[in-house]
Amino acid sequence: MKIKSYIPNLLTLANLFCGAVAAMYAVKGFYEMTAIFVAIGILFDFLDGFVARILGVSGELGKQLDSLADVVTSGVVPGLLMFFLIKTNVINGPNVEMEISFGQFEPKFGLLPYVAFLVTLAAAYRLAKFNIDTRQTDSFIGLPTPAMSLFVISLPLIYQTTDIEMVKTLLLNNNFLIGITVVLSFLMNAEIPLFSLKFKNFSLKKNLVKYVFLAVSGAMIVLLKYMAIPMIITFYVVLSMVNNLFKKA
């Protein structure tokens, strides 16, 4: 077997490595480092498929390995992050430890934070479904897991950098965080067609929606920094739905 056939899988494993490291930082409460490693992992997730297509070495092993890596980087990590955000709000302090001993399980913060792992379950379900869904070759059906992951990892960064009190108040409200958890979990598995950013050509007419999305997203990032991330993902879903309506008309 040629060496080039291993390259995409090595990139996928790099994604998995970044996800594992991000999970470690999430548990320790280092949210900026968590975000950095998730972002790098998502970059590797993009590169493995891109390189596989360039080299012409796509295969079933790579497909399955890609989903396994994504379950960690874009499933487990955002679930952990949301868990600790909700837990911190419940106990109003980041340093309270869960009391666990053999045969005993007594969390001081109750069961509410465990709702956060709904995004992990929904991500795993979506990734498994994606592997057997032949409709998602040139577009997506449901929100891709990396988009969900980027949305979640942006939340603590927004809190740390924003001066807008209303935004901080929302991020300290568990009803808001649980609402986000439920909505993102639903969107990942909803039968909503979403456009892909893959370009077969650079025609303005055929790629108008993509160019509009990229232009608006770039402007948001410049103006809003971290706060742009959830807004871009929301805009992506809304723009896709509007585009679907125009296609049906």
Side-chain angles (χ1 to χ4, degrees), residues 144-226:
T145 54
M148 178 277 293
S149 187
L150 288 172
F151 191 114
V152 173
I153 66 170
S154 72
L155 299 180
L157 301 180
I158 291 170
Y159 181 81
Q160 291 169 4
T161 57
T162 187
D163 295 322
I164 304 174
E165 286 302 319
M166 186 179 73
V167 173
K168 287 190 172 185
T169 301
L170 279 176
L171 294 175
L172 292 175
N173 187 319
N174 276 343
N175 291 328
F176 177 73
L177 294 179
I178 290 170
I180 287 176
T181 299
V182 172
V183 169
L184 290 175
S185 299
F186 167 76
L187 286 175
M188 279 188 285
N189 291 285
E191 289 288 312
I192 303 174
L194 304 174
F195 65 86
S196 168
L197 287 175
K198 295 177 183 176
F199 285 84
K200 291 184 177 179
N201 58 64
F202 296 101
S203 165
L204 179 61
K205 184 177 179 180
K206 292 183 179 179
N207 298 292
L208 181 60
V209 172
K210 298 175 186 178
Y211 284 128
V212 169
F213 173 73
L214 291 172
V216 173
S217 297
M220 284 185 182
I221 291 170
V222 171
L223 295 172
L224 301 172
K225 304 297 189 291
Y226 291 129

Side-chain angles (χ1 to χ4, degrees), residues 71-103:
V71 164
V72 177
T73 305
S74 297
V76 174
V77 175
L80 281 171
L81 197 56
M82 189 66 83
F83 172 87
F84 285 112
L85 291 177
I86 296 173
K87 186 193 86 166
T88 299
N89 289 348
V90 169
I91 63 180
N92 197 28
N95 298 317
V96 176
E97 298 292 336
M98 186 188 301
E99 293 182 355
I100 302 177
S101 60
F102 185 75

Side-chain angles (χ1 to χ4, degrees), residues 25-26 29-36 81 84-85 88 156-157 160:
Y25 279 120
F30 299 142
Y31 298 142
E32 189 171 23
M33 292 302 297
T34 301
I36 288 171
L81 197 56
F84 285 112
L85 291 177
T88 299
L157 301 180
Q160 291 169 4

